[in-house]
Amino acid sequence: LVFTEEDKYGLYSNLLFKYFLAEGIVCGHDLFVASAKEHPDNILKELPAPLLDDTYGKELGDEAAAVKSEDFQDSMKIAWRYQNLPKMEASPATFTKFGHYYDMSKKMSPELFQSIKWHSFYLHEELSSQPKMKPCNMNSAYTRLLQSIQRIISQGGFDGSDPQKKQKNVLRIGVQSLGSLLWGDDICCSDTPEDIHSLTKFLYVLRGLLRKSLSACIITVPSHLIQNKAIMERVTNLSDMVVGLESFIGSERETNPLYKDYHGLVHVHQIPRLNSLICDVSDTMDLAFRLKRKQFTIECLHLPPDLSDTVSRASKQDLAGSAKLLSSGCGAMAIGKKHLDF
Amino acid sequence: QGRFTLLRDTRTDGSFLVHHFLSFYLRAGCKVCFVALLQSFSHYNIVAQKLGVSLTAAKERGQLVFLEGLKSCLELVFGEEEEQPGQPSPLQFLCTCDLRALFDFVRVSLTPTDGDSWKGPVLLVDDLSVLLSLGATPVAVLDFIHYCRVSVCSQLKGNVVVLVHSHEDSEDEENELVVTSLCHHSDLILWAEGLATGFCKDVHGQIRIIKRLSLQQAGEQDLIQIYQYKIQDRNITFFARGLSAAVL
């Protein structure tokens, strides 16, 4: 269960969301797209085109080779492995097996959709259906969404309930802007919402469904709007992976010369620790992202060398403060904002 | 015997302690009731096998009673059969906010039956903070733990081990209330925390072991020991602060 905190204007989290879905199509997984904001058909029309040779019909191994042979510049890398941290500074060869590259300037062609089955859930079209679940004091929109997911999972045989189905496939579920007002939940507009347990109950049942079936799910949530931070803490505990996107648009960091190469920061709050005592920890947790015309990349945050004499004290302190926050990762977080002087 | 151990984690994942206690008590021959609310059975099984214990075998010989919260929740919410009136689902509280059914489940699983030759019963809960997310009130959670202690620790002379999450700047007041209250009543607290200086590859965190001697005898101080640890695939290495293998 990948939980993404949206950036303020939702621009970049939408990109991640689309990448997740696009990857599913390219890998031949089935898709389930749910939204209360945009019609899923529109979302699917906007998916980026994969960077592949014309010979798309070939095996995946051949595709990997084709991508490898493309001429990639220094730091262009994106491998979206939704269960693991994105690797950076590694040569493209090591992770083309797990992910694909996408070209943001082109839309995915409809032929690629033909081979997979996709299901959509657009809240406003589903309002008339009757919930058949046992009532557990959950928001009715969430109830309907859960029911729909459960139905697709059992009908599609993703939970192994259909022994006839020989070929097992993975279901990728994407839910957009959960918790927002459009889903009928008021946690984004009030400090003391009417029902603070709806979202967490929804996540718990969803977690159960995911564990029971061959599916993976990405959820984006406008967490900057959620007033009650207790909910965010509970949600973090209920998710496997939690990633937050902080874009620089409209914040003072936009003009900060230290961040000039990037469009925002990636905060990894939690990484999954499944079936093992340890989790896959990379060397660093300082990640930033940038969006170029064709590619969206996530890389290590490199601060430019401090060459200028005129860097004021204020910005230095601010940088130290934010560097402290940056270096705190999901395994351990810095307690307090103490500066460490060496 | 009759001890209440609190496992607490702050800004890190303390579930390795749960895995440890699970395999520890099973190897010791105790009857274990494991209320696993957050992960699936196969997750615990795979880790336990690395630690040398088979949960499937333990379940088959009746030594382990495993409540898989996620699975029971699905059965409750999506199930079509009517429940038998005498046996409500232990996860009933999702609908009714009442933890009594969960307690009954625990009590029934750990009450020794004829022919049972296990040493002392053990209740293991992973994790308690989830109950609050699912609609239970802090008072209900504390009552549940109290009933469990009376039943398991006092009457059956067994042990209870519970995992909770917390941290100082937490805005989840209900959770902090539960955790603080449990801390006061625990015989032993194992507190796993992330390092104060931030993320490190070689030292995953620090663990504080607090033996509540002050509860046993008036005037005694609690004994606090602090170690740092690194988690590996099959075991965990503990060492004194600052003496990690990477540094020496």
Side-chain angles (χ1 to χ4, degrees):
Chain A
L1 179 56
V2 180
F3 187 87
T4 313
E5 295 174 343
E6 287 177 10
D7 50 294
K8 219 149 78 163
Y9 300 104
L11 290 171
Y12 301 108
S13 52
N14 254 340
L15 279 180
L16 275 188
F17 191 72
K18 285 174 184 157
Y19 267 103
F20 183 81
L21 296 175
E23 181 67 16
I25 294 184
V26 174
C27 292
H29 299 157
D30 285 2
L31 291 188
F32 181 103
V33 185
S35 171
K37 210 162 53 164
E38 276 175 75
H39 199 286
D41 292 345
N42 293 336
I43 298 180
L44 287 172
K45 286 203 194 99
E46 301 273 306
L47 296 183
L51 281 169
L52 297 168
D53 263 3
D54 294 353
T55 56
Y56 170 66
K58 282 198 203 161
E59 292 289 323
L60 214 58
D62 286 3
E63 280 172 2
V67 176
K68 232 197 300 196
S69 63
E70 299 228 20
D71 187 22
F72 276 107
Q73 303 294 327
D74 41 291
S75 54
M76 295 291 171
K77 53 198 73 64
I78 182 162
W80 195 245
R81 299 198 274 159
Y82 48 88
Q83 283 283 356
N84 301 65
L85 282 181
K87 282 213 170 59
M88 42 235 102
E89 305 296 302
S91 65
T94 49
F95 51 61
T96 44
K97 282 197 278 287
F98 297 108
H100 298 85
Y101 295 89
Y102 294 93
D103 182 347
M104 294 298 311
S105 58
K106 298 202 200 102
K107 299 278 172 278
M108 190 176 272
S109 64
E111 293 97 49
L112 293 176
F113 288 95
Q114 308 294 348
S115 51
I116 60 127
K117 270 202 299 273
W118 60 276
H119 317 271
S120 71
F121 179 97
Y122 185 49
L123 181 64
H124 307 292
E125 282 172 3
E126 304 273 343
L127 285 174
S128 51
S129 66
Q130 287 300 320
K132 285 189 230 77
M133 277 164 55
K134 292 222 180 45
C136 30
N137 302 328
M138 208 192 306
N139 179 323
S140 70
Y142 295 157
T143 314
R144 289 196 173 87
L145 177 55
L146 279 176
Q147 203 161 282
S148 183
I149 295 178
Q150 193 262 348
R151 191 172 39 92
I152 302 294
I153 286 182
S154 67
Q155 282 173 2
F158 295 102
D159 55 357
S161 61
D162 185 3
Q164 299 299 322
K165 211 177 157 87
K166 294 264 173 25
Q167 193 153 33
K168 290 196 194 159
N169 200 355
V170 171
L171 177 67
R172 283 192 186 220
I173 306 175
V175 184
Q176 198 185 43
S177 273
L178 198 62
S180 72
L181 200 50
L182 295 164
W183 287 95
D185 200 346
D186 63 349
I187 52 177
C188 284
C189 29
S190 135
D191 207 1
T192 47
E194 216 176 278
D195 180 12
I196 60 170
H197 295 121
S198 258
L199 181 61
T200 42
K201 279 187 195 170
F202 167 82
L203 284 178
Y204 190 74
V205 180
L206 178 63
R207 193 184 166 98
L209 284 173
L210 294 176
R211 287 288 193 272
K212 206 181 89 149
S213 59
L214 288 173
S215 34
C217 177
I218 185 171
I219 300 184
T220 70
V221 168
S223 59
H224 53 277
L225 293 175
I226 297 182
Q227 312 287 347
N228 187 336
K229 294 300 168 203
I231 297 181
M232 284 314 301
E233 290 173 22
R234 292 179 182 180
V235 156
T236 303
N237 282 334
L238 289 170
S239 314
D240 292 312
M241 180 164 192
V242 181
V243 171
L245 293 173
E246 182 196 335
S247 84
F248 295 148
I249 300 176
S251 87
E252 59 194 12
R253 291 185 179 173
E254 194 170 17
T255 46
N256 190 332
L258 298 160
Y259 289 127
K260 68 171 161 47
D261 287 333
Y262 302 105
H263 289 114
L265 299 175
V266 175
H267 301 288
V268 180
H269 296 297
Q270 188 164 276
I271 47 181
R273 196 185 287 240
L274 285 177
N275 296 330
S276 162
L277 275 177
I278 53 173
C279 45
D280 183 24
V281 193
S282 81
D283 283 331
T284 171
M285 299 285 176
D286 301 332
L287 303 171
F289 65 84
R290 58 175 137 175
L291 173 64
K292 301 210 161 131
R293 196 178 62 87
K294 281 194 170 191
Q295 295 226 351
F296 175 74
T297 63
I298 296 181
E299 36 188 77
C300 272
L301 178 65
H302 293 295
L303 296 172
D306 187 12
L307 296 169
S308 148
D309 295 326
T310 59
V311 173
S312 72
R313 230 177 155 250
S315 74
K316 260 205 165 121
Q317 286 217 335
D318 174 52
L319 178 63
S322 56
K324 196 115 233 338
L325 290 174
L326 281 178
S327 60
S328 43
C330 41
M333 285 186 56
I335 301 172
K337 292 195 170 52
K338 303 190 280 284
H339 291 291
L340 288 177
D341 283 315
F342 290 92
Chain B
Q1 289 246 323
R3 292 224 305 205
F4 184 87
T5 304
L6 184 67
L7 306 176
R8 183 175 173 178
D9 62 33
T10 296
R11 301 182 195 276
T12 189
D13 185 9
S15 59
F16 66 92
L17 292 168
V18 172
H19 293 298
H20 160 72
F21 276 102
L22 179 60
S23 49
F24 171 74
Y25 280 120
L26 282 176
R27 262 197 292 249
C30 297
K31 181 153 187 191
V32 178
C33 173
F34 187 9
V35 176
L37 293 173
L38 215 46
Q39 298 281 18
S40 62
F41 176 75
S42 63
H43 165 80
Y44 293 105
N45 198 15
I46 292 176
V47 182
Q49 276 172 357
K50 292 187 184 164
L51 297 177
V53 171
S54 164
L55 294 189
T56 336
K59 239 180 31 166
E60 276 165 20
R61 56 177 184 250
Q63 190 188 5
L64 171 67
V65 178
F66 194 100
L67 174 62
E68 189 172 350
L70 292 169
K71 197 168 89 150
S72 303
C73 158
L74 289 181
E75 282 164 10
L76 172 68
V77 164
F78 293 113
E80 278 144 14
E81 315 95 39
E82 278 304 317
E83 291 162 8
Q84 296 122 348
Q87 284 192 14
S89 160
L91 288 192
Q92 189 76 350
F93 60 89
L94 269 172
C95 306
T96 61
C97 297
D98 183 2
L99 290 169
R100 222 169 309 192
L102 187 58
F103 167 68
D104 286 333
F105 174 84
V106 169
R107 187 174 47 85
V108 165
S109 348
L110 287 179
T111 308
T113 56
D114 299 328
D116 255 358
S117 57
W118 310 112
K119 307 199 187 91
V122 174
L123 168 65
L124 190 55
V125 181
D126 176 17
D127 67 61
L128 209 59
S129 307
V130 171
L131 292 179
L132 292 171
S133 305
L134 294 177
T137 60
V139 175
V141 174
L142 289 171
D143 281 346
F144 165 73
I145 288 294
H146 177 72
Y147 273 83
C148 286
R149 285 190 75 167
V150 167
S151 162
V152 177
C153 295
S154 307
Q155 287 172 356
L156 299 173
K157 304 275 182 276
N159 293 332
V160 175
V161 180
V162 167
L163 173 71
V164 288
H165 304 295
S166 81
H167 64 269
E168 285 144 10
D169 306 328
S170 169
E171 303 222 358
D172 191 347
E173 286 167 3
E174 291 185 346
N175 190 41
E176 290 306 302
L177 180 68
V178 169
V179 172
T180 315
S181 175
L182 288 178
C183 276
H184 283 302
H185 295 120
S186 309
D187 296 305
L188 176 67
I189 304 176
L190 294 174
W191 192 349
E193 292 175 281
L195 293 178
T197 45
F199 169 67
C200 170
K201 216 166 59 139
D202 296 305
V203 179
H204 290 146
Q206 146 178 310
I207 183 165
R208 229 186 290 197
I209 305 177
I210 306 175
K211 296 195 177 115
R212 305 289 314 287
L213 302 172
S214 55
L215 288 180
Q216 292 163 18
Q217 243 184 324
E220 283 281 337
Q221 293 274 351
D222 291 340
L223 179 66
I224 304 183
Q225 292 164 309
I226 304 185
Y227 298 101
Q228 290 178 339
Y229 62 86
K230 176 174 174 166
I231 306 177
Q232 287 148 334
D233 193 44
R234 278 172 193 270
N235 68 346
I236 307 166
T237 346
F238 291 93
F239 39 86
R241 280 184 290 182
L243 294 180
S244 126
V247 168
L248 290 173

